[in-house]
């Protein structure tokens, strides 16, 4: 249980990609970390694209990046909503400044684009937002998982196994 004692934020909003939220959450938990689902409202039930629910443990305003070892951003359509919250962008920027692992998959790159942390960073994402990533200054690769320092990125659900491992490795290496 190499991640025992570590806490991780998993951001959530409606229309998250069900597997892209839950697979990394369970993967990190199985390594011993505590994961908190964090949304706009505490105790709110968010519904994924395929109907899987997720109840937030905390609201964005209730968490402090200093209390967490990393953050997971799911894909789906939720990232387009998440990037509109100033507190989400603040959390991502603080994690970036502290070099804490930031996991993003598929459309989750939109949150990192809006947080303005991708200049010169090598990443991957769904090809659908490649232009957005490159226009934000990222170097985009069509690979299952790309790790550049503390930023771990993946393309889509078939990449979840290596993505989960890479994110856990980043947390363990802190």
């Amino acid at each position: 249980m190499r991640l025992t004692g570590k806490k991780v934020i998993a951001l959530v909003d409606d229309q998250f990609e069900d597997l892209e939220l839950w697979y990394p959450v369970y993967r990190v938990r199985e390594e011993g970390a505590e994961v908190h689902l964090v949304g706009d409202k505490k105790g709110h039930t968010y519904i994924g694209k395929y109907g899987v629910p997720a109840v937030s443990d905390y609201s964005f305003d209730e968490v402090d990046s200093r209390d967490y070892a990393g953050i997971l951003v799911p894909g789906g359509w939720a990232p387009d909503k998440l990037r509109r919250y100033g507190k989400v962008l603040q959390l991502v920027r603080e994690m970036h400044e502290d070099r804490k692992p930031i996991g993003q998959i598929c459309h989750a790159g939109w949150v990192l684009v809006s947080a303005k942390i991708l200049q010169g960073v090598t990443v991957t994402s769904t090809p659908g937002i490649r232009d957005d990533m490159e226009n934000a200054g990222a170097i985009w690769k069509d690979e299952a998982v790309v790790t550049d320092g503390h930023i771990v990125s993946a393309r889509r659900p078939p990449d979840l196994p290596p993505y989960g491992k890479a994110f856990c490795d980043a947390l363990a290496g802190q």
Side-chain angles (χ1 to χ4, degrees):
M1 303 281 275
R2 63 184 174 150
L3 301 181
T4 299
K6 294 186 184 267
K7 293 193 308 184
V8 174
I9 292 170
L11 297 174
V12 66
D13 206 324
D14 285 319
Q15 297 294 303
F16 60 87
E17 207 297 339
D18 306 62
L19 287 172
E20 294 172 358
L21 173 69
W22 287 112
Y23 187 105
V25 165
Y26 289 134
R27 181 68 179 85
V28 170
R29 284 178 177 165
E30 79 180 2
E31 293 253 8
E34 183 178 345
V35 181
H36 295 151
L37 299 182
V38 180
D40 182 41
K41 297 176 222 138
K42 178 181 182 173
H44 183 77
T45 301
Y46 296 93
I47 304 298
K49 285 173 50 178
Y50 304 106
V52 177
V55 179
S56 56
D57 299 302
Y58 297 101
S59 72
F60 303 136
D61 291 328
E62 292 179 298
V63 295
D64 186 322
S65 66
R66 293 174 291 194
D67 298 331
Y68 291 88
I71 191 167
L72 288 163
V73 187
W77 302 126
D80 191 35
K81 298 172 185 174
L82 290 167
R83 68 182 179 166
R84 300 174 197 199
Y85 295 105
K87 180 63 177 188
V88 167
L89 300 181
Q90 176 189 338
L91 285 168
V92 170
R93 281 189 208 106
E94 289 171 355
M95 293 281 188
H96 179 64
E97 289 165 9
D98 292 338
R99 314 301 287 169
K100 293 179 180 179
I102 298 171
Q104 66 97 31
I105 184 168
C106 200
H107 286 83
W110 276 336
V111 175
L112 281 65
V113 166
S114 293
K116 299 183 182 351
I117 64 166
L118 291 179
Q119 186 64 47
V121 177
T122 303
V123 294
T124 194
S125 66
T126 180
I129 68 166
R130 175 183 180 167
D131 290 347
D132 301 307
M133 303 289 272
E134 289 179 336
N135 288 336
I139 301 155
W140 191 88
K141 304 272 187 188
D142 187 12
E143 296 175 9
V145 176
V146 174
T147 300
D148 187 346
H150 62 286
I151 297 177
V152 180
S153 57
R155 296 175 301 194
R156 55 182 74 96
D159 303 326
L160 282 164
Y163 170 63
K165 181 182 182 318
F167 186 76
C168 288
D169 289 347
L171 281 172
Q174 281 183 315

